[in-house]
Amino acid sequence: MKMDLSGSEEIAASRLQLWEGLQDPDVLTKCIPGCKEMTEIGPDAYDVKMQLKVAAVGGTFDGKVKLFDKDAPTTCHITVSGGGSLGTGEGRAKFTLTETGPETTQLDYEGSGEIGGLVAGVGQRVLGSVAKHLTKQFFKALRKHYEDVNATA
């Protein structure tokens, strides 16, 4: 099952701060919903362990994440692939950072992926709304991370 996801979010952080956070496995582990572990296996390459629940189906996912075509601190491409008890998935995404003020940055993202196995059985409409929900959770956690960072600065 093919999925596409795109959007734009405003984050209260400088472009450089946001760029560094999006490259930091500790920040990403904290912000990605269901992410239990992110281990560097090479330059810009990570093993990821996740535990997710999609509709009534829950399970684990082990995958790989690779960052490439980086143009710091503006754009980066990402590939994700893996599988587990929920099924299989792979995808590509690009994000672009645009400074909109001294301490605010707009993050534009667009991506597509292919999902198979058990999780694909819940249907495209349900999967699409789950993907949007998980994306909202990610940005909520990312905003909270920068609120905490800025409060202690």
Side-chain angles (χ1 to χ4, degrees):
M1 177 183 305
K2 187 162 173 41
M3 286 192 58
D4 294 314
L5 196 61
S6 63
S8 184
E9 298 285 336
E10 186 114 304
I11 308 292
S14 72
R15 184 167 65 172
L16 185 58
Q17 266 186 317
L18 185 54
W19 174 266
E20 289 171 352
L22 293 171
Q23 311 294 312
D24 184 337
D26 292 334
V27 172
L28 293 174
T29 300
K30 188 166 74 170
C31 295
I32 295 171
C35 188
K36 299 298 178 198
E37 191 178 315
M38 193 168 189
T39 308
E40 189 169 7
I41 57 172
D44 295 326
Y46 304 91
D47 276 339
V48 179
K49 295 194 180 302
M50 299 182 75
Q51 187 157 9
L52 290 172
K53 187 167 185 177
V54 177
V57 181
T60 59
F61 180 87
D62 293 335
K64 301 213 178 293
V65 174
K66 178 103 174 110
L67 308 177
F68 64 100
D69 287 349
K70 293 166 50 171
D71 182 14
T74 308
T75 62
C76 183
H77 291 80
I78 303 165
T79 59
V80 179
S81 63
S85 60
L86 288 174
T88 60
E90 60 180 52
R92 299 175 67 90
K94 174 186 178 186
F95 67 80
T96 305
L97 304 178
T98 307
E99 203 154 72
T100 55
E103 293 300 319
T104 51
T105 303
Q106 180 175 306
L107 189 158
D108 296 308
Y109 60 93
E110 57 184 272
S112 63
E114 210 44 63
I115 297 169
L118 185 62
V119 74
V122 301
Q124 184 139 11
R125 187 180 311 153
V126 171
L127 216 45
S129 69
V130 168
K132 287 179 185 169
H133 176 72
L134 292 174
T135 302
K136 277 186 189 176
Q137 282 185 309
F138 170 77
F139 283 113
K140 182 178 179 182
L142 190 63
R143 283 190 184 91
K144 171 110 176 69
H145 168 75
Y146 284 107
E147 283 172 17
D148 294 348
V149 165
N150 294 333
T152 58

